[in-house]
Amino acid sequence: MNPLRLYVDSRFISPYAMSVFVSLIEKGIAFQMTTVDLQALENQTEAYAALSQTQRVPTLADSDFAVSESSAITEYLENAYPQFPVYPRDVRLLAKARQVQAWIRSDLLPIREERSTLVVFYGEKSGPLSPAASTAANKLFQAAEALLKDGAEYLFGEWSIADVDLALMLNRLILNGDPVPAALVAYAQRQWQRPSVQTWVALQRPPL
């Protein structure tokens, strides 16, 4: 049986590729990884477009089936490989976890623009946040603190892949040296030490 194949960016800085990578490791699924050079527009080649209709990373190939977009991939993995879940089992907590993931991917654009994942994975530093990014950061903190009541270790009682997605968003600010509430710093640091996360962090990246 051929292992699954995960297509990721060649710099290993995509937060969405990381989310799928961590999910595969947490589930104990054997997989191989292929890098796609986005700077060289390899994602726009005819071969890759035939695999990924969105021409983006990550893309997961499972035998003759391929799916793109990270949350679609992790949802597929959860249903196709239910051992070792990466989402809450409770239907309401599952909905909240998906809410967190969808929100992080679709909102908070000023943070993503001014604090790229080069901050997280290459140590690149940026100047002060713009007013728009400061507003987005405060919105992020308010939501995270509401979800992590009373110093909770995880968002939904037990670890889920949504914890990794939220921690990465917080680390865009934390690792740049921006002010972040202490409880959220401690939360993000705990998630970052998870072995599956550290496996991604430790990947050998090419120089910029």
Side-chain angles (χ1 to χ4, degrees), residues 34-60:
T34 296
T35 58
V36 179
D37 189 338
L38 302 182
Q39 285 68 44
L41 303 181
E42 287 183 359
N43 57 308
Q44 296 180 20
T45 63
E46 183 177 347
Y48 192 74
L51 181 74
S52 168
Q53 289 78 30
T54 62
Q55 299 182 31
R56 303 210 296 179
V57 295
T59 290
L60 180 78

Side-chain angles (χ1 to χ4, degrees), residues 35-179:
T35 58
V36 179
D37 189 338
L38 302 182
Q39 285 68 44
L41 303 181
E42 287 183 359
N43 57 308
Q44 296 180 20
T45 63
E46 183 177 347
Y48 192 74
L51 181 74
S52 168
Q53 289 78 30
T54 62
Q55 299 182 31
R56 303 210 296 179
V57 295
T59 290
L60 180 78
D62 185 358
S63 188
D64 60 349
F65 173 76
V67 60
S68 302
E69 304 304 312
S70 59
S71 56
I73 297 171
T74 51
E75 190 168 331
Y76 166 73
L77 290 172
E78 191 78 338
N79 291 318
Y81 301 88
Q83 306 88 339
F84 306 108
V86 297
Y87 284 104
R89 291 297 197 188
D90 179 89
V91 65
R92 291 186 174 183
L93 295 181
L94 171 59
K96 295 293 282 187
R98 297 291 288 111
Q99 172 187 293
V100 169
Q101 289 189 300
W103 175 56
I104 286 173
R105 285 159 172 73
S106 63
D107 199 359
L108 308 171
L109 179 60
I111 297 176
R112 288 185 277 124
E113 288 181 332
E114 296 181 29
R115 298 292 183 265
S116 80
T117 51
L118 293 175
V119 171
V120 178
F121 300 115
Y122 277 89
E124 185 177 89
K125 302 295 183 185
S126 298
L129 292 169
S130 68
S134 293
T135 298
N138 288 331
K139 182 179 180 180
L140 170 64
F141 302 155
Q142 184 178 21
E145 288 173 333
L147 289 164
L148 294 163
K149 294 178 181 177
D150 303 319
E153 185 174 2
Y154 303 117
L155 287 168
F156 308 112
E158 296 182 315
W159 177 89
S160 76
I161 193 58
D163 286 295
V164 173
D165 292 346
L166 178 57
L168 192 146
M169 180 59 78
L170 290 167
N171 272 336
R172 291 174 183 263
L173 300 164
I174 294 167
L175 297 178
N176 192 71
D178 298 305

